[in-house]
Amino acid sequence: MTANTQSHSGSGPDIITFGETMALLMPSGGKGLEYSSELHSLFGGAESNVAIGISRLGGKVGWFGRLGKDPLGRMIFKKIRGEGVDVSRAELTTEAPTGLMMREVLMGKTSVYYYRKNSAASHMSTKHLDEAYIAGAKILHITGITPALSESCKEAAFEAVRIARKHGVKVSFDPNLRLKLWSMEEARPVLLELAKLSDIFLPGLDELKLLYQTEDWNVIVSKLRELSAISIVKGGENETYVVTPDSVTAVPYFKAEHVVDTVGAGDGFCAGFLVGVLKEYEYAEAVRIGNLVGSLIVQTEGDWEGAPTWEQVDAVLNDVKHIER
């Protein structure tokens, strides 16, 4: 992929992720989009949300993708870079515009409207992958959003996984099912195949019910045990589950004091969990960190803005009291 900015200094990122990041417009003051005269300009994308979360927690992380060479693309590029994420393999292109999404929260319900067809990100293909860059990482993190964008994006996702496996890089996969992008029938075989190729599978419980076409938890567990991956199941009633070939461990949630915006909770979880894995924590302890990061992110507006630092996470884990003044 063509580099537009910093060359790599020293060794490369420990975690690499890639995918679509879009500009995000949200009305101020909790109004509906059609009634608001002011919109906040933000951005979001599952993979860049995870990358920023990892960087805030002190991890060395790289994100790449394609953005339009337009004001929105440049804004996103500079802000991701400003969060300490390596963007040396990201690309600003004149071929297509940056995707856009608009979001409103009315009566507690979030609605998202996408303007992403033929975006720069949707034109990503295998030629935009840098094998040496992926090979130098410890973990490649992908989501099921990328293969849903286009045939060339799907090929790129599978090729990135092939490169990672070839070089002994662990593959982390969050299915991130988006039924506005493709039907369940289109998604199922692709997501299940990527789950088979991953080392760490990070589905939500609702996603598993749709993927495996069952509500039966015991059937879901037995299906997960057929995979070679460790499965981390988000979205239990009060806990996240670690499913291995011989055990199921429930890790309780952290209570969020004041929920403001639930979007980004899953990406925050992934960031915290993957940093825990990097630090070589036991899976249950890494999940505990992920649960905590997710609970902190939902207490702030935006997809990633509330991502905590490692010091903040450590303070909660060790019950350090905050001194106000």
Side-chain angles (χ1 to χ4, degrees):
M1 186 169 269
T2 309
N4 280 304
T5 184
Q6 73 221 55
S7 61
H8 239 36
S9 57
S11 59
D14 289 324
I15 301 175
I16 287 171
T17 185
F18 71 97
E20 176 190 44
T21 296
M22 292 180 284
L24 166 63
L25 298 178
M26 289 180 69
S28 56
K31 293 178 186 169
L33 280 162
E34 66 186 287
Y35 303 114
S36 182
S37 56
E38 291 183 342
L39 296 173
H40 294 297
S41 174
L42 307 163
F43 71 91
E47 299 85 3
S48 58
N49 295 347
V50 171
I52 290 169
I54 290 167
S55 181
R56 292 239 183 127
L57 292 166
K60 286 174 66 180
V61 61
W63 170 87
F64 65 88
R66 301 189 86 213
L67 297 161
K69 201 170 190 177
D70 49 40
L72 295 176
R74 287 193 290 269
M75 175 269 289
I76 292 167
F77 185 88
K78 286 188 278 194
K79 285 196 172 174
I80 296 176
R81 181 178 62 189
E83 285 290 334
V85 176
D86 178 65
V87 289
S88 62
R89 301 308 188 274
E91 182 180 3
L92 294 167
T93 176
T94 55
E95 290 171 18
T98 304
L100 173 68
M101 57 180 160
M102 301 177 85
R103 189 158 80 226
E104 62 185 3
V105 183
L106 294 174
M107 295 183 289
K109 286 198 173 159
T110 301
S111 297
V112 186
Y113 305 91
Y114 296 104
Y115 305 87
R116 75 202 315 179
K117 196 169 180 171
N118 291 319
S119 69
S122 71
H123 292 290
M124 191 156 51
S125 70
T126 54
K127 71 181 182 187
H128 300 114
L129 301 174
D130 180 333
E131 179 160 348
Y133 187 65
I134 294 170
K138 292 176 181 170
I139 299 171
L140 170 72
H141 177 72
I142 63 164
T143 82
I145 294 172
T146 305
L149 296 174
S150 66
E151 194 59 33
S152 67
C153 282
K154 182 167 82 175
E155 288 166 7
F158 275 95
E159 178 63 10
V161 169
R162 188 195 68 76
I163 290 168
R165 288 170 65 88
K166 173 182 166 186
H167 293 282
V169 177
K170 272 196 165 85
V171 176
S172 161
F173 173 53
D174 182 343
N176 237 317
L177 179 61
R178 294 286 184 272
L179 292 175
K180 283 190 176 181
L181 282 174
W182 53 357
S183 71
M184 198 61 233
E185 287 62 39
E186 291 172 296
R188 187 177 288 112
V190 177
L191 300 182
L192 290 177
E193 183 60 26
L194 286 168
K196 277 184 198 164
L197 295 170
S198 62
D199 299 286
I200 300 166
F201 184 36
L202 294 154
L205 182 54
D206 288 343
E207 290 171 325
L208 289 175
K209 289 174 181 177
L210 291 168
L211 285 170
Y212 292 132
Q213 298 173 277
T214 179
E215 296 277 324
D216 189 322
W217 172 240
N218 293 322
V219 173
I220 289 169
V221 169
S222 69
K223 292 276 191 191
L224 291 174
R225 285 180 170 158
E226 291 170 13
L227 303 173
S228 56
I230 295 290
S231 296
I232 310 297
V233 183
K234 302 166 287 180
E237 202 166 310
N238 293 299
E239 59 254 318
T240 304
Y241 302 101
V242 181
V243 181
T244 71
D246 47 23
S247 68
V248 176
T249 307
V251 184
Y253 293 153
F254 283 83
K255 185 171 167 44
E257 297 300 322
H258 179 55
V259 177
V260 175
D261 183 355
T262 58
V263 176
D267 300 329
F269 171 86
C270 288
F273 171 77
L274 290 173
V275 167
V277 171
L278 263 191
K279 290 178 179 284
E280 298 184 349
Y281 289 179
E282 295 287 332
Y283 281 121
E285 186 57 25
V287 165
R288 190 163 170 254
I289 294 163
N291 284 347
L292 174 56
V293 174
S295 80
L296 293 171
I297 280 183
V298 301
Q299 298 181 63
T300 309
E301 196 172 85
D303 288 25
W304 53 267
E305 285 79 356
T309 63
W310 183 256
E311 288 73 24
Q312 289 169 314
V313 165
D314 206 36
V316 176
L317 291 175
N318 294 301
D319 203 23
V320 176
K321 297 288 180 264
H322 173 62
I323 299 169
E324 194 167 303
R325 51 177 81 197

